[in-house]
């Protein structure tokens, strides 16, 4: 089945889906994006993703390319045309096409691209396999709360992890505190069983999976505190893990050369993986099979 992509009001063959050479997203990274999980044919946490998208657009003063209410049917139609049952939806909005200039164009027309890709989500037990991360200085810009398409430091961090034989990089600020991963939020579990993750502000992206997990943690009445933690504290933690739309929740059993806990995914991490899969199944309950 050929892949279909939505580009500015048209559904096109994926290989023919193109944007103009002077699209500001292509030339200036002047745009934002969202990645949304598709489970049993349904978008997971879509309302939260749309709220974050609205905020990112507002912070960069980019207009919505279509009415907000019209966007969800476009996304759902893209999923339908690609027959994606399990996968991810990528959505990108840029300031549009204009002669190259740092200043905003006077009458911009925002550009919209939407496509859906199949993913074979790991089974619960596979998701509980241990991951490794390395730590590196955070060299990104200071508005990480905006989900901008400007991701070069993230790309370099991810490649550095791969080159080191690790799964991801955790960025570290100038004070020695972990900010986040290249595409994920970072968590630890202290030896007292307290879950710790950095609070959301301009230092990190407010992850949607993170937001959902906070609700699940509250339901389980687990101990939680939102505060920064250092690399040294992470290495001495009982457990560590990271969350994102595509990773869901993955245990980190090694940070740099330090084994975390006993080197196996921890009890709390594994319990939360089960809780999150239960949540996705509830959210997609009744979807067409």
């Amino acid at each position: 089945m050929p892949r279909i992509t939505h580009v500015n009001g048209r559904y096109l063959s994926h290989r023919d889906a193109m944007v103009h050479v002077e699209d500001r997203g292509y030339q200036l990274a002047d745009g934002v994006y969202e990645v949304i999980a598709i489970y049993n044919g349904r978008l997971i946490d879509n309302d939260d993703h749309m709220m974050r998208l609205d905020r990112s657009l507002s912070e960069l003063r980019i207009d919505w390319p279509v009415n907000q209410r019209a966007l969800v049917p476009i996304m759902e139609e893209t999923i339908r045309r690609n027959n994606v049952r399990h996968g991810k939806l990528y959505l990108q909005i840029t300031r549009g096409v204009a002669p190259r200039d740092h200043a905003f164009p006077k009458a911009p027309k925002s550009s919209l691209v939407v496509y859906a890709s199949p993913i074979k989500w790991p089974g619960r037990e596979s998701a509980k396999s241990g991951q490794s991360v390395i730590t590196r200085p955070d060299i990104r810009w200071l508005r990480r709360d905006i989900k901008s398409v400007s991701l070069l430091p993230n790309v370099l961090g991810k490649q550095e992890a791969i080159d080191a034989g690790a799964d991801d990089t955790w960025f570290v600020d100038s004070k020695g505190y972990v900010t986040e991963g290249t595409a994920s939020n970072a968590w630890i579990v202290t030896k007292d069983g307290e879950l710790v993750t950095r609070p959301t502000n301009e230092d990190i992206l407010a992850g949607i999976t993170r937001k959902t997990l906070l609700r699940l943690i509250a339901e389980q009445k687990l101990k939680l505190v939102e505060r920064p933690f250092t690399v040294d504290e992470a290495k001495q933690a009982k457990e560590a893990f990271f969350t994102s739309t595509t990773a869901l929740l993955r245990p980190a059993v090694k940070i740099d050369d330090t084994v975390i806990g006993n080197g196996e995914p921890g009890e709390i991490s594994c319990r939360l993986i089960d809780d999150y899969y239960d949540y996705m199944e509830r959210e997609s309950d009744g979807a067409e099979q």
Side-chain angles (χ1 to χ4, degrees):
M1 181 178 180
R3 292 181 64 190
I4 302 298
T5 295
H6 179 278
V7 181
N8 293 325
R10 302 172 64 197
Y11 292 95
L12 304 169
S13 167
H14 191 67
R15 67 180 180 181
D16 295 327
M18 302 178 187
V19 297
H20 194 279
V21 68
E22 287 190 311
D23 186 282
R24 289 176 64 91
Y26 169 69
Q27 291 195 339
L28 300 170
D30 191 3
V32 300
Y33 75 102
E34 285 289 333
V35 177
I36 309 171
I38 304 167
Y39 196 79
N40 283 335
R42 290 195 176 178
L43 294 163
I44 301 298
D45 288 328
N46 189 54
D47 288 346
D48 287 329
H49 281 282
M50 291 299 99
M51 288 174 58
R52 186 172 67 181
L53 177 62
D54 183 58
R55 182 181 183 279
S56 293
L57 289 170
S58 177
E59 291 296 310
L60 295 185
R61 295 159 59 189
I62 296 176
D63 293 334
W64 280 84
V66 297
N67 184 285
Q68 292 187 44
R69 293 184 179 180
L71 183 55
V72 173
I74 291 172
M75 295 157 64
E76 292 175 341
E77 178 65 12
T78 302
I79 293 170
R80 187 192 69 79
R81 290 188 182 222
N82 287 278
N83 195 30
V84 175
R85 182 167 175 248
H86 295 303
K88 64 180 179 180
L89 181 134
Y90 181 85
L91 181 159
Q92 177 172 300
I93 298 173
T94 73
R95 203 177 305 277
V97 176
R100 191 181 188 281
D101 188 356
H102 286 190
F104 293 173
K106 291 187 177 181
K109 181 176 174 53
S110 305
S111 294
L112 171 66
V113 172
V114 182
Y115 65 86
S117 306
I119 290 178
K120 185 176 181 181
W121 296 110
R124 294 180 186 233
E125 296 309 310
S126 296
K128 295 172 185 176
S129 60
Q131 305 282 291
S132 61
V133 299
I134 60 174
T135 59
R136 293 294 185 269
D138 200 334
I139 60 172
R140 299 171 299 159
W141 77 318
L142 301 181
R143 290 303 308 276
R144 302 156 195 157
D145 55 310
I146 300 171
K147 200 167 177 67
S148 162
V149 297
S150 181
L151 293 171
L152 186 55
N154 305 60
V155 169
L156 295 174
K158 184 67 173 184
Q159 188 59 47
E160 193 166 0
I162 292 171
D163 292 343
D167 296 290
D168 202 5
T169 291
W170 279 7
F171 293 121
V172 182
D173 68 19
S174 60
K175 296 180 180 179
Y177 291 101
V178 174
T179 50
E180 56 190 344
T182 62
S184 62
N185 292 122
W187 303 67
I188 61 170
V189 181
T190 69
K191 292 179 180 178
D192 294 329
E194 185 177 67
L195 281 146
V196 182
T197 192
R198 192 170 182 129
T200 53
N201 51 30
E202 293 182 356
D203 293 329
I204 69 168
L205 183 70
I208 302 303
T209 304
R210 174 192 182 280
K211 184 177 181 180
T212 296
L213 195 61
L214 290 176
R215 295 197 298 266
L216 298 177
I217 288 169
E219 290 173 6
Q220 293 291 339
K221 295 182 170 51
L222 297 172
K223 293 186 290 185
L224 168 75
V225 61
E226 293 182 76
R227 63 168 175 81
F229 58 85
T230 65
V231 174
D232 287 341
E233 186 178 6
K235 291 179 177 181
Q236 295 172 22
K238 183 178 180 181
E239 302 179 36
F241 61 90
F242 52 90
T243 55
S244 75
T245 293
T246 51
L248 305 181
L249 188 158
R250 301 305 296 267
V253 299
K254 187 178 181 183
I255 301 174
D256 295 325
D257 293 325
T258 301
V259 174
I260 307 305
N262 63 3
E264 298 291 333
E267 177 184 352
I268 291 177
S269 301
C270 291
R271 186 199 314 178
L272 290 173
I273 289 171
D274 286 330
D275 290 342
Y276 195 81
Y277 270 82
D278 289 343
Y279 167 76
M280 287 202 301
E281 289 168 3
R282 290 195 305 270
E283 284 290 289
S284 62
D285 185 43
E288 293 184 4
Q289 302 298 310

